[in-house]
Amino acid sequence: MADVWEGWERRAKPPTLFRRFTFERYAQTREFLDALAAAGNACGLHPQNINFGTTYVNVTLEAADSSRLSPAEEAFARQIAALAQAQAGTGR
Amino acid sequence: MADVWEGWERRAKPPTLFRRFTFERYAQTREFLDALAAAGNACGLHPQNINFGTTYVNVTLEAADSSRLSPAEEAFARQIAALAQAQAGTGR
């Protein structure tokens, strides 16, 4: 029986991590965004997308390696969550 | 003939301005974002939403008054475009 997938190349979408953080006030949102940018510069990683308004920040991290998130990327995700918590942010 | 709209209140959606700016490098995107935040603090206005990745920033301004953008909001929009241009950003 012929392989129906012959000629096709399987490609996994790059794994991503997404998280929404909410804050009480714009000042906290701003502090978090600045801390996130500084942390990203320090480790050379930047979220694939950040979407924010005055009291929320949606963060999307995408694996550079298309098969899995690296330990550095996972550590960055943990650091981002800790930075949000430092601004009393609620991640959900 | 009865007015079929009696009892209804007409509400226009708040007018919004949307613009996408693109940059050559993350450093320029970052400079633009920082300048935008500083400009917003200076005039007390903040975009309703900012969506960015390493080389693009999508900005949405929403009128606080639901009927029209104020002169201050329009001036803020012009200032944002000028800040992007200062980072060689392309607004389209």
Coordinates of all heavy atoms in Angstrom, one line a residue, chain A residues 26 30 33-34 37 41 46-54 56, chain B residues 26 30 33-34 37 41 46-54 56:
Chain A
Y26 N -1.8 51.4 35.6 CA -0.9 51.5 34.5 C 0.5 51.6 35.0 O 1.4 51.0 34.3 CB -1.2 52.8 33.7 CG -0.2 53.1 32.6 CD1 -0.1 52.2 31.5 CD2 0.7 54.1 32.7 CE1 0.8 52.5 30.5 CE2 1.6 54.3 31.7 CZ 1.7 53.5 30.6 OH 2.6 53.7 29.7
R30 N 3.5 49.4 33.5 CA 4.7 50.0 32.9 C 5.9 49.5 33.5 O 6.9 49.2 32.8 CB 4.5 51.5 33.1 CG 5.5 52.4 32.4 CD 5.3 52.4 30.9 NE 6.3 51.7 30.2 CZ 6.2 51.3 29.0 NH1 5.1 51.4 28.3 NH2 7.2 50.6 28.4
L33 N 6.6 46.0 32.1 CA 7.1 46.1 30.8 C 8.5 46.5 30.7 O 9.3 45.9 29.9 CB 6.2 47.1 29.9 CG 4.8 46.6 29.6 CD1 4.0 47.8 29.1 CD2 4.9 45.5 28.5
D34 N 8.9 47.5 31.5 CA 10.3 47.9 31.5 C 11.2 46.8 32.1 O 12.3 46.6 31.5 CB 10.5 49.2 32.4 CG 9.8 50.4 31.7 OD1 9.6 50.3 30.5 OD2 9.6 51.4 32.4
A37 N 11.6 44.1 29.5 CA 12.6 44.5 28.4 C 14.0 44.4 28.9 O 14.9 43.9 28.1 CB 12.3 45.9 27.9
N41 N 16.9 41.9 27.4 CA 18.2 42.3 27.0 C 19.3 41.6 27.7 O 20.3 41.2 27.1 CB 18.4 43.8 27.3 CG 17.7 44.7 26.2 OD1 17.4 44.2 25.1 ND2 17.5 45.9 26.5
H46 N 13.7 37.7 23.5 CA 12.6 38.6 23.5 C 11.4 37.9 23.1 O 11.4 37.0 22.2 CB 12.9 39.8 22.5 CG 14.1 40.6 22.8 ND1 14.2 41.3 24.0 CD2 15.3 40.6 22.2 CE1 15.4 41.9 24.0 NE2 16.1 41.5 23.0
P47 N 10.3 38.2 23.8 CA 9.0 37.5 23.4 C 8.7 37.7 21.9 O 9.0 38.8 21.4 CB 8.0 38.2 24.3 CG 8.7 38.6 25.5 CD 10.1 39.1 24.9
Q48 N 8.1 36.8 21.3 CA 7.7 36.8 19.9 C 6.7 37.9 19.7 O 6.7 38.6 18.7 CB 7.2 35.5 19.4 CG 6.9 35.4 18.0 CD 5.5 35.4 17.7 OE1 4.6 35.1 18.5 NE2 5.1 35.7 16.4
N49 N 5.8 38.1 20.7 CA 4.8 39.1 20.7 C 4.4 39.6 22.1 O 4.3 38.7 23.0 CB 3.5 38.7 20.0 CG 2.5 39.7 19.9 OD1 1.6 39.8 20.7 ND2 2.6 40.6 18.9
I50 N 4.2 40.9 22.3 CA 3.7 41.4 23.5 C 2.5 42.3 23.1 O 2.6 43.2 22.3 CB 4.7 42.2 24.3 CG1 5.8 41.3 24.8 CG2 4.1 42.9 25.5 CD1 6.9 42.0 25.6
N51 N 1.4 42.1 23.8 CA 0.2 42.9 23.5 C -0.3 43.5 24.8 O -0.6 42.7 25.7 CB -0.9 41.9 22.9 CG -2.1 42.6 22.4 OD1 -2.6 43.5 23.1 ND2 -2.6 42.2 21.2
F52 N -0.3 44.8 24.9 CA -0.7 45.3 26.2 C -1.6 46.6 26.1 O -1.6 47.3 25.1 CB 0.6 45.7 27.0 CG 1.4 46.9 26.5 CD1 1.2 48.1 27.1 CD2 2.3 46.7 25.5 CE1 1.9 49.2 26.6 CE2 3.1 47.8 25.1 CZ 2.9 49.1 25.6
G53 N -2.3 46.7 27.1 CA -3.1 47.9 27.3 C -2.7 48.5 28.7 O -1.7 48.1 29.3
T54 N -3.6 49.4 29.2 CA -3.1 50.1 30.5 C -3.0 49.1 31.7 O -2.2 49.3 32.5 CB -4.1 51.2 30.8 OG1 -5.4 50.7 30.8 CG2 -4.0 52.4 29.9
Y56 N -3.1 45.4 31.4 CA -2.9 43.9 31.0 C -1.7 43.8 30.1 O -1.4 44.8 29.3 CB -4.1 43.3 30.4 CG -4.5 43.9 29.1 CD1 -3.9 43.3 27.9 CD2 -5.3 44.9 29.0 CE1 -4.2 43.9 26.7 CE2 -5.6 45.5 27.7 CZ -5.0 45.0 26.6 OH -5.3 45.5 25.4
Chain B
Y26 N 15.5 45.4 16.4 CA 14.8 45.4 17.7 C 15.2 46.7 18.5 O 14.4 47.3 19.2 CB 15.1 44.2 18.6 CG 14.6 44.3 20.0 CD1 13.2 44.2 20.2 CD2 15.4 44.4 21.1 CE1 12.7 44.3 21.5 CE2 14.9 44.5 22.4 CZ 13.6 44.5 22.6 OH 13.1 44.5 23.8
R30 N 12.6 49.1 20.3 CA 12.7 49.4 21.7 C 12.8 50.9 22.0 O 12.1 51.4 22.9 CB 13.9 48.7 22.3 CG 14.1 48.6 23.8 CD 13.0 47.7 24.4 NE 12.1 48.4 25.1 CZ 10.9 48.0 25.5 NH1 10.5 46.8 25.1 NH2 10.1 48.7 26.2
L33 N 9.4 52.4 21.5 CA 8.4 52.0 22.6 C 8.7 52.9 23.8 O 7.8 53.3 24.5 CB 8.5 50.5 22.9 CG 7.9 49.6 21.9 CD1 8.4 48.1 22.2 CD2 6.4 49.6 22.0
D34 N 10.0 53.0 24.2 CA 10.4 53.8 25.3 C 10.0 55.3 25.1 O 9.4 55.9 26.0 CB 11.9 53.7 25.6 CG 12.2 52.3 26.2 OD1 11.3 51.6 26.6 OD2 13.4 52.0 26.2
A37 N 6.2 55.6 25.5 CA 5.8 55.6 26.9 C 6.0 56.9 27.6 O 5.2 57.4 28.3 CB 6.5 54.5 27.6
N41 N 3.3 59.6 29.1 CA 3.3 60.1 30.5 C 3.3 61.6 30.5 O 2.6 62.2 31.4 CB 4.6 59.6 31.2 CG 4.5 58.2 31.7 OD1 3.4 57.6 31.8 ND2 5.6 57.5 32.0
H46 N -2.5 57.4 27.0 CA -1.9 56.1 26.7 C -2.7 55.4 25.6 O -3.9 55.4 25.7 CB -1.7 55.3 27.9 CG -0.9 55.9 29.0 ND1 0.4 56.1 28.8 CD2 -1.2 56.5 30.2 CE1 0.9 56.8 29.9 NE2 -0.1 57.0 30.7
P47 N -2.0 54.8 24.7 CA -2.8 54.0 23.7 C -3.7 53.0 24.3 O -3.3 52.4 25.4 CB -1.7 53.4 22.8 CG -0.6 54.3 22.9 CD -0.6 54.8 24.3
Q48 N -4.8 52.7 23.7 CA -5.7 51.7 24.3 C -5.1 50.3 24.2 O -5.3 49.5 25.0 CB -7.0 51.8 23.5 CG -8.2 50.9 24.0 CD -8.4 49.7 23.2 OE1 -8.0 49.7 22.0 NE2 -9.0 48.7 23.7
N49 N -4.3 50.2 23.1 CA -3.6 48.9 22.9 C -2.3 49.1 22.1 O -2.3 49.9 21.2 CB -4.5 47.9 22.2 CG -3.8 46.5 22.0 OD1 -3.2 46.2 21.0 ND2 -3.8 45.7 23.1
I50 N -1.3 48.4 22.5 CA 0.0 48.3 21.8 C 0.3 46.9 21.6 O 0.3 46.1 22.6 CB 1.1 49.1 22.5 CG1 0.8 50.6 22.5 CG2 2.5 48.8 21.8 CD1 1.9 51.4 23.2
N51 N 0.6 46.5 20.4 CA 0.9 45.1 20.1 C 2.2 45.1 19.3 O 2.4 45.7 18.3 CB -0.2 44.5 19.2 CG -0.1 43.0 19.0 OD1 1.0 42.5 18.7 ND2 -1.2 42.3 19.0
F52 N 3.3 44.5 20.0 CA 4.6 44.6 19.3 C 5.4 43.3 19.3 O 5.2 42.4 20.2 CB 5.4 45.7 19.9 CG 6.0 45.4 21.3 CD1 7.2 44.9 21.5 CD2 5.2 45.7 22.4 CE1 7.8 44.7 22.7 CE2 5.7 45.5 23.7 CZ 7.0 45.0 23.8
G53 N 6.2 43.1 18.3 CA 7.2 42.1 18.2 C 8.5 42.7 18.1 O 8.7 43.9 18.3
T54 N 9.5 42.0 17.7 CA 10.9 42.6 17.6 C 11.0 43.7 16.6 O 11.8 44.6 16.9 CB 11.9 41.5 17.3 OG1 11.5 40.7 16.2 CG2 12.1 40.6 18.5
Y56 N 8.1 45.3 14.9 CA 6.9 46.0 14.5 C 6.2 46.5 15.8 O 6.3 45.8 16.8 CB 6.0 45.2 13.7 CG 5.4 44.0 14.4 CD1 4.2 44.1 15.1 CD2 6.1 42.8 14.4 CE1 3.7 43.0 15.9 CE2 5.6 41.7 15.1 CZ 4.4 41.8 15.8 OH 4.0 40.7 16.6

